[in-house]
Amino acid sequence: MPTLETSEVAVLEDQSGSASQLPDFTSAAYKDAYSRINAIVIEGEQEAHDNYIALGTLIPEQQEELARLARMEMKHMKGFMSCGRNLGVEADMPFAREFFAPLHGNFQAALKEGKVVTCLLIQALLIEAFAISAYHIYIPVADPFARKITEGVVKDEYTHLNYGQEWLKANFEGSRDELMEANKVNLPLIRSMLEQVAADASALQMEKEDLIEDFLIAYQEALSEIGFSSRDIARMAAAALAI
């Protein structure tokens, strides 16, 4: 697949009609940052695939649907791998595996204990909301090839977020306490992940404040749909982010 050959800064007309400058996709600084950002999304999709397959063992009646979601994540992963090839960038996969290690460890621990609620919160709420926020902020500043790929992916991620949201909503009364505890343990990890990736994201013209805002909107909307009150959600955020 050919790489982008222009080194000029592109100009993109956004939906409001104003022009915004895109980064130089061929610069060394951009490619260095992209090697880690691209690795994160590749690893994130791999983690999601594995997590949905694992969830099928905890919710056997939903195994077929979860396998379908897993296949979608694998397709996403391959798409993002092609984005790296298009820019001539090798993804820094060791960095990405370390980046996801805390959430991965918590998911695996919950899986061994049969804690389906915790597993769903980690994968179908936190990770999916994290991905949606990142893709939303990335699309306006992405290279044309990656933009097309990412626009397709983000539509699917809403389907995955909705799956976890609806399952937890249907089982809310029995899940409420575990959800609050899992939130307290895992939400701070998302905050740390956003901090860790802030400099590289900024090099791609994705600002940390925008990522945090978009993530919180998606996550809090999901919690509200599941059944938590505004007061509950505020308390969950306060308790977690105070750690």
Side-chain angles (χ1 to χ4, degrees):
M1 186 173 296
T3 60
L4 294 175
E5 296 180 354
T6 177
S7 61
E8 297 178 355
V9 176
V11 176
L12 175 70
E13 288 290 327
D14 64 24
Q15 293 180 349
S16 66
S18 62
S20 58
Q21 286 191 330
L22 296 180
D24 179 355
F25 306 123
T26 66
S27 72
Y30 187 93
K31 289 188 174 185
D32 177 60
Y34 192 84
S35 70
R36 290 179 290 278
I37 296 295
N38 186 232
I40 287 170
V41 295
I42 291 169
E43 178 64 20
E45 300 295 347
Q46 179 68 66
E47 291 273 340
H49 169 274
D50 297 347
N51 289 349
Y52 284 123
I53 293 297
L55 276 162
T57 66
L58 299 182
I59 318 174
E61 68 276 14
Q62 292 285 307
Q63 194 168 44
E64 185 175 339
E65 174 62 11
L66 288 161
R68 185 181 73 86
L69 298 182
R71 288 192 297 272
M72 293 168 70
E73 303 288 19
M74 188 57 61
K75 180 181 177 182
H76 299 165
M77 185 186 76
K78 292 177 180 177
F80 287 127
M81 291 172 71
S82 70
C83 292
R85 289 195 298 270
N86 183 60
L87 291 179
V89 174
E90 182 177 351
D92 187 347
M93 297 311 299
F95 170 84
R97 284 188 282 272
E98 183 178 348
F99 180 80
F100 275 102
L103 275 181
H104 175 82
N106 284 359
F107 183 93
Q108 292 300 315
L111 179 66
K112 289 180 181 178
E113 295 178 30
K115 291 185 173 180
V116 63
V117 171
T118 298
C119 287
L120 280 170
L121 178 123
I122 292 172
Q123 175 55 53
L125 297 190
L126 287 173
I127 293 179
E128 297 294 358
F130 181 94
I132 287 168
S133 67
Y135 299 156
H136 274 169
I137 304 305
Y138 175 60
I139 285 170
V141 294
D143 67 86
F145 182 87
R147 181 176 185 174
K148 184 175 181 180
I149 295 290
T150 309
E151 285 174 340
V153 169
V154 76
K155 294 176 184 177
D156 290 343
E157 302 299 13
Y158 275 109
T159 301
H160 304 168
L161 178 65
N162 187 67
Y163 174 86
Q165 176 183 297
E166 291 305 308
W167 192 98
L168 292 166
K169 181 179 181 178
N171 296 275
F172 180 63
E173 290 306 318
S175 303
R176 188 177 187 280
D177 291 345
E178 187 178 336
L179 276 170
M180 295 188 77
E181 182 59 29
N183 170 84
K184 185 176 181 180
V185 172
N186 291 286
L187 183 55
L189 297 180
I190 297 294
R191 179 192 59 181
S192 297
M193 291 164 76
L194 287 166
E195 293 285 350
Q196 189 178 351
V197 79
D200 286 330
S202 182
L204 274 59
Q205 296 188 9
M206 302 164 61
E207 297 308 318
K208 180 181 71 174
E209 292 76 14
D210 295 333
L211 289 166
I212 292 173
E213 180 182 12
D214 208 274
F215 164 75
L216 288 175
I217 289 170
Y219 184 53
Q220 292 179 352
E221 284 181 350
L223 293 177
S224 178
E225 286 296 322
I226 288 167
F228 287 107
S229 67
S230 297
R231 179 182 287 246
D232 288 333
I233 294 169
R235 187 180 300 118
M236 290 167 75
L241 297 177
I243 294 176

